[in-house]
Amino acid sequence: MTREATLDRDAAIDRVVEFIETVENEPMPVPVREIWVYGDVALGLDPIDRLDIYLTKDILLRGDSDTAEEYYDQHGVKGIGQSVDAEWAEKYPEYIRANDNGHAAPEKCLAAHLLGDDEPIHLEVCNASFDENVTQRLRGALDRESYEQILDPRGVCLWVDGQWDDDLLDKLRGGELPFPTLSGALEQLGVDADTASEAADTVSRYRTEQTGASVRGDVI
């Protein structure tokens, strides 16, 4: 398999800033609370094979069933006004994405709005914060021995509820953030050394198989 082009580190961080500015300045399909980066970009690598971004979102609780029914009748997509914001959908119909059941999928809508199809960026979307999801995913991956599902715990939170962490952003640009190897980070979370090493190798191999923009959504 031919690997996609790598990202220059400065360009990758500029892309993260652009990503956050878009979230901050444009309507989103669901409210966004936190934006993290993790993995290679957090480690100070240059160049970067893939840019990993983590986004914490809110779940819309007050559904507009009338709008959802009307939109489904007209366009065949369920959940507009319920799982994703109706005003956003009206403004950005080109970014509406549905799951296999024809229901609007917030994580896919966010990816369509925020990422270009061919960008080497992976977007993780969850209603829980990064640290909580790291723990949940690790527990499930270890139980099933599905190590490729592990979420790299080496993350940096750059934006929370509209507030930038300029100090962390500066350190990120300078590659000044100290992180262990992935296997070391997993050991710090309680994984035994042999399993941590095997899991880290599996995650690395899995990442090399990914191309273009990708997204995963989780609900905890």
Side-chain angles (χ1 to χ4, degrees), residues 128-148:
S129 188
F130 179 79
D131 292 335
E132 183 180 355
N133 201 10
V134 163
T135 302
Q136 292 281 349
R137 288 268 292 276
L138 178 60
R139 184 181 300 120
L142 292 175
D143 287 345
R144 297 187 298 271
E145 295 187 1
S146 301
Y147 300 143
E148 72 281 358

Side-chain angles (χ1 to χ4, degrees), residues 43 138 152-154 179-201:
L43 302 180
L138 178 60
D152 191 331
R154 300 167 298 176
F179 285 105
T181 62
L182 178 54
S183 59
L186 295 175
E187 286 185 56
Q188 290 178 0
L189 293 173
V191 181
D192 70 80
D194 289 342
T195 302
S197 179
E198 181 182 354
D201 289 343

Side-chain angles (χ1 to χ4, degrees), residues 70-145:
E70 180 180 351
Y71 198 92
Y72 176 69
D73 289 341
Q74 294 179 358
H75 303 285
V77 178
K78 304 173 186 176
I80 300 299
Q82 295 178 317
S83 57
V84 303
D85 183 74
E87 293 183 3
W88 172 85
E90 182 177 354
K91 186 172 184 179
Y92 300 106
E94 70 274 22
Y95 296 145
I96 295 172
R97 300 290 186 274
N99 58 28
D100 293 340
N101 295 323
H103 203 281
E107 74 281 0
K108 293 183 179 181
C109 293
L110 284 162
H113 192 145
L114 295 167
L115 308 181
D117 290 341
D118 297 326
E119 289 188 287
I121 299 177
H122 177 67
L123 179 64
E124 290 275 348
V125 179
C126 186
N127 62 301
S129 188
F130 179 79
D131 292 335
E132 183 180 355
N133 201 10
V134 163
T135 302
Q136 292 281 349
R137 288 268 292 276
L138 178 60
R139 184 181 300 120
L142 292 175
D143 287 345
R144 297 187 298 271
E145 295 187 1

Side-chain angles (χ1 to χ4, degrees), residues 8-217:
D8 173 84
R9 178 171 183 77
D10 288 338
I13 295 175
D14 287 344
R15 182 65 182 91
V16 172
V17 170
E18 179 187 26
F19 180 100
I20 297 174
E21 289 175 341
T22 302
V23 170
E24 194 169 54
N25 297 320
E26 297 182 9
M28 290 288 111
V30 289
V32 175
R33 288 188 281 118
E34 299 176 356
I35 299 173
W36 297 62
V37 295
Y38 65 97
D40 288 356
V41 69
L43 302 180
L45 299 185
D46 190 5
I48 295 165
D49 286 337
R50 286 183 72 74
L51 175 58
D52 294 304
I53 300 175
Y54 186 96
L55 185 154
T56 306
K57 69 173 181 66
D58 285 332
I59 297 174
L60 297 182
L61 298 176
R62 296 182 179 179
D64 185 340
S65 58
D66 291 339
T67 297
E69 184 176 353
E70 180 180 351
Y71 198 92
Y72 176 69
D73 289 341
Q74 294 179 358
H75 303 285
V77 178
K78 304 173 186 176
I80 300 299
Q82 295 178 317
S83 57
V84 303
D85 183 74
E87 293 183 3
W88 172 85
E90 182 177 354
K91 186 172 184 179
Y92 300 106
E94 70 274 22
Y95 296 145
I96 295 172
R97 300 290 186 274
N99 58 28
D100 293 340
N101 295 323
H103 203 281
E107 74 281 0
K108 293 183 179 181
C109 293
L110 284 162
H113 192 145
L114 295 167
L115 308 181
D117 290 341
D118 297 326
E119 289 188 287
I121 299 177
H122 177 67
L123 179 64
E124 290 275 348
V125 179
C126 186
N127 62 301
S129 188
F130 179 79
D131 292 335
E132 183 180 355
N133 201 10
V134 163
T135 302
Q136 292 281 349
R137 288 268 292 276
L138 178 60
R139 184 181 300 120
L142 292 175
D143 287 345
R144 297 187 298 271
E145 295 187 1
S146 301
Y147 300 143
E148 72 281 358
Q149 300 300 316
I150 288 172
L151 180 60
D152 191 331
R154 300 167 298 176
V156 182
C157 186
L158 298 177
W159 185 90
V160 180
D161 292 331
Q163 299 297 313
W164 294 70
D165 192 322
D166 294 325
D167 183 54
L168 271 179
L169 182 59
D170 288 343
K171 290 181 178 179
L172 184 69
R173 285 191 182 279
E176 302 171 18
L177 298 170
F179 285 105
T181 62
L182 178 54
S183 59
L186 295 175
E187 286 185 56
Q188 290 178 0
L189 293 173
V191 181
D192 70 80
D194 289 342
T195 302
S197 179
E198 181 182 354
D201 289 343
T202 301
V203 170
S204 179
R205 288 195 302 271
Y206 179 76
R207 289 183 80 253
T208 63
E209 298 172 356
Q210 310 307 304
T211 59
S214 57
V215 61
R216 170 175 171 149

